[in-house]
């Protein structure tokens, strides 16, 4: 099977690493890929949002199966385009990707089908949104409706902050993603990321994970795409996982099917585990980054047949096996991230680091004259297995400490919640 993975981050490196190990995969491509992915796959210089270019490449190269990593091409309809061209793909149609592409769509779906999530209002103009804030008071959460690269959520501790956020969003700060605003109750609890493969009708739960969104130690500073993650997530006990499947994931899949937009792909439920049980914060329609890195480390089974079964509507009889060990990943980012940062610095010390218990997944890297150079904000995801989260943490940081990259930084406390339990 000739497989194309779309994307260029640590998530896509982990997917390529797992897919390259499948006996079913005869040739692996990645578009556009990165400096680390080049060791697993043939990188092709087509951007992840170039729908025409990707579709033409798949036709010309007779690609059998496409795995789409990031959300933008899914929401833009890449899977629909590929299917129209006769190319099988893992990921939702544009209509089903609305679960991530429109927060208002998802909130309305939850309301119609009794899926537990924060109380909310949905607004297309500022005056009504401002009146809602005045009525509800603070703290409150203000969100741009559409895709905003993880920056469209404002946690407002005061009414003034909420009103300012409303004005900024309607003022065009997030472009078309801010055509509507969702305002919600601020949920209290512990967050977790829950993943399930879905084939339109059936769901196969994967392992759960927790990530660290804030840039600084102790979960301080601005939000990022994710500075580290670990799996399993102690807060997602077997009982909680059952509740998530029964109350959130299965009703969503049934609702999407009933409403004529069956969901296929990986459903990523961002959860708040509250005193009243798990509540949905939001859906993503793709693997998390860096959660994918820890999931792929823990997966024992071949991932490729599972992804194909999801695309084919054949998940009902499927099972996946996981290692008992924990996995933990530490993201190394360029100094300045998530603000401005320099590109082009050389990363040394990577040789010989990856092995049985450690994998260094690349995100923003490129190869230049034999050197690995940093080209993005999040640059490496240093990932390790261990008997416990604490052991995985020790191994990951031991590997981090062997990497010679003065222009980079990482958090030193990834996994603190699990280690402290
Ligand atoms: P997102 O960018 O949509 O993943 O949201 C970013 C983060 O905002 C989430 O991971 C949560 O930490 C937080 N968040 C979003 N909505 C809520 C909510 N209703 N209550 C509490 N925290 C929230
Ligand atoms: N790590 C969170 C995300 O991928 O959205």
């Amino acid at each position: 099977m000739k497989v194309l993975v779309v994307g260029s981050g640590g998530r896509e490196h982990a997917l390529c690493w797992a897919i390259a190990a499948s006996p079913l995969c005869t040739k692996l491509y990645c578009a556009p890929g990165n400096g680390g992915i080049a060791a697993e796959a043939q990188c092709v210089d087509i951007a992840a949002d170039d729908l025409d270019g990707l579709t033409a490449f798949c036709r010309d190269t007779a690609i059998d199966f496409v795995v789409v990593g990031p959300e933008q091409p899914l929401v833009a309809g890449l899977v629909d385009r590929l299917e129209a061209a006769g190319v099988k793909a893992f990921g939702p149609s544009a209509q089903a990707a609305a679960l991530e592409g429109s927060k208002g769509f998802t909130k309305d779906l939850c309301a119609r089908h009794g899926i537990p999530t924060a109380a909310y209002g949905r607004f297309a103009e500022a005056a009504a949104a401002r009146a809602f804030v005045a009525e509800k008071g603070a703290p409150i959460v203000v969100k741009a409706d559409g895709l905003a690269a993880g920056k469209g959520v404002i946690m407002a501790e005061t009414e003034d902050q909420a009103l300012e956020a409303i004005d900024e969003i309607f003022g065009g700060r997030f472009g078309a993603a801010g055509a509507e605003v969702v305002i919600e109750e601020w949920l209290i609890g512990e967050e977790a990321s829950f993943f399930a493969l879905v084939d339109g009708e059936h769901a196969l739960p994967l392992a759960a994970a927790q990530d660290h969104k804030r840039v600084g130690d102790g979960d301080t500073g601005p939000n990022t795409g994710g500075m580290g993650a670990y799996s399993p997530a102690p807060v997602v006990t077997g009982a909680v996982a059952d509740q998530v499947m029964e109350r959130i994931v299965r009703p969503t899949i049934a609702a999407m099917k009933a409403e004529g937009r069956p969901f296929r792909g990986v459903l990523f439920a961002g959860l708040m585990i509250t005193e009243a049980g798990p509540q949905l914060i939001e859906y993503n329609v793709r693997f998390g980054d860096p959660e994918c890195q820890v999931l792929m480390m823990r997966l024992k089974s071949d991932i490729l047949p599972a992804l194909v079964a999801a695309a084919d509507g054949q998940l009902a009889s499927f099972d996946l096996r996981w290692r008992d060990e924990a996995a933990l990943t530490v993201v190394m980012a360029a100094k300045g991230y998530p603000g401005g940062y320099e590109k082009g610095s050389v990363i040394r010390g990577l040789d010989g680091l990856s092995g049985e218990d450690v994998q260094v997944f690349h995100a923003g890297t490129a190869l230049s004259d034999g050197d690995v150079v940093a080209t993005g904000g999040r640059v490496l995801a240093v990932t390790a297995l261990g008997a416990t989260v604490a052991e995985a943490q020790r191994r990951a940081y031991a590997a981090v400490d062997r990497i010679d990259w003065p222009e980079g930084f990482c958090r030193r406390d990834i996994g603190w919640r699990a280690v402290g339990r």
Side-chain angles (χ1 to χ4, degrees):
M1 203 176 224
K2 283 159 100 175
V3 181
L4 170 70
V5 172
V6 175
S8 61
R11 164 181 55 208
E12 287 77 20
H13 190 185
L15 288 170
C16 284
W17 174 74
I19 292 169
S22 170
L24 291 177
C25 178
T26 51
K27 174 83 186 168
L28 181 61
Y29 298 89
C30 187
N34 64 38
I37 291 174
E40 315 283 354
Q42 182 175 332
C43 294
V44 271
D45 190 15
I46 307 173
D49 60 1
D50 178 1
L51 272 51
D52 289 334
L54 291 168
T55 308
F57 174 79
C58 289
R59 232 195 273 109
D60 297 346
T61 318
I63 295 291
D64 299 297
F65 191 58
V66 179
V67 179
V68 185
E71 63 274 17
Q72 296 88 345
L74 293 168
V75 171
L78 177 58
V79 169
D80 310 76
R81 292 281 301 274
L82 291 170
E83 267 170 18
V87 182
K88 191 183 291 189
F90 174 81
S93 65
Q95 283 228 315
L99 281 177
E100 179 164 0
S102 169
K103 296 189 193 309
F105 167 81
T106 298
K107 298 297 285 190
D108 288 351
L109 185 94
C110 289
R112 282 197 298 278
H113 296 273
I115 295 165
T117 183
Y120 74 107
R122 182 180 184 185
F123 305 96
E125 47 98 25
R130 296 177 68 97
F132 187 77
V133 168
E135 182 198 328
K136 298 290 175 189
I140 198 159
V141 183
V142 180
K143 303 182 172 184
D145 180 72
L147 293 186
K151 300 195 177 79
V153 175
I154 296 97
M155 309 289 294
E157 297 187 17
T158 64
E159 277 187 42
D160 280 346
Q161 287 170 356
L163 297 177
E164 198 182 312
I166 290 168
D167 290 342
E168 281 192 358
I169 296 174
F170 283 122
R173 181 168 160 207
F174 301 107
E180 282 194 35
V181 165
V182 170
I183 304 179
E184 0 177 296
E185 167 200 5
W186 182 316
L187 296 171
I188 306 292
E190 187 171 339
E191 276 186 63
S193 305
F194 189 94
F195 298 88
L197 293 183
V198 181
D199 70 358
E201 198 167 350
H202 312 101
L204 177 62
L206 307 178
Q210 281 179 285
D211 83 343
H212 295 264
K213 285 229 166 70
R214 304 293 198 99
V215 75
D217 283 10
D219 293 326
T220 55
N223 262 326
T224 69
M227 295 302 291
Y230 52 95
S231 173
V235 69
V236 184
T237 58
V240 169
D242 290 345
Q243 288 174 356
V244 173
M245 287 302 291
E246 288 317 309
R247 299 180 192 171
I248 298 178
V249 173
R250 287 205 183 94
T252 300
I253 294 166
M256 293 295 280
K257 185 170 179 239
E259 297 194 4
R261 18 177 134 209
F263 185 90
R264 289 190 197 87
V266 58
L267 189 60
F268 164 0
L271 302 172
M272 188 71 83
I273 313 303
T274 72
E275 280 179 1
Q279 302 254 338
L280 179 72
I281 298 176
E282 59 162 10
Y283 276 127
N284 299 301
V285 299
R286 36 117 190 136
F287 282 105
D289 186 346
E291 289 96 328
C292 186
Q293 289 84 315
V294 290
L295 293 186
M296 292 307 115
M297 277 299 262
R298 291 192 61 216
L299 185 63
K300 272 206 276 199
S301 304
D302 185 349
I303 180 111
L304 188 51
L307 301 179
V308 174
D312 281 343
Q314 297 293 326
L315 270 183
S317 55
F318 231 86
D319 199 16
L320 286 171
R321 298 188 25 191
W322 300 87
R323 291 174 186 270
D324 291 331
E325 288 112 305
L328 181 141
T329 188
V330 177
V331 169
M332 297 185 76
K335 280 181 185 162
Y337 174 83
Y341 51 82
E342 304 262 312
K343 294 183 180 181
S345 54
V346 175
I347 304 165
R348 297 192 173 83
L350 294 171
D351 288 344
L353 271 192
S354 294
E356 184 70 1
D357 294 325
V358 174
Q359 287 294 330
V360 180
F361 296 116
H362 291 218
T365 74
L367 299 176
S368 171
D369 294 334
D371 286 329
V372 175
V373 297
T375 59
R378 291 192 294 173
V379 172
L380 300 171
V382 182
T383 313
L385 285 169
T388 59
V389 174
E391 187 178 57
Q393 184 195 51
R394 275 194 300 278
R395 284 189 180 143
Y397 280 111
V400 164
D401 290 338
R402 287 172 56 192
I403 294 173
D404 175 13
W405 182 36
E407 293 82 1
F409 76 98
C410 66
R411 280 181 59 162
R412 297 300 311 190
D413 64 345
I414 299 304
W416 65 268
R417 227 185 250 278
V419 170
R421 262 175 203 251

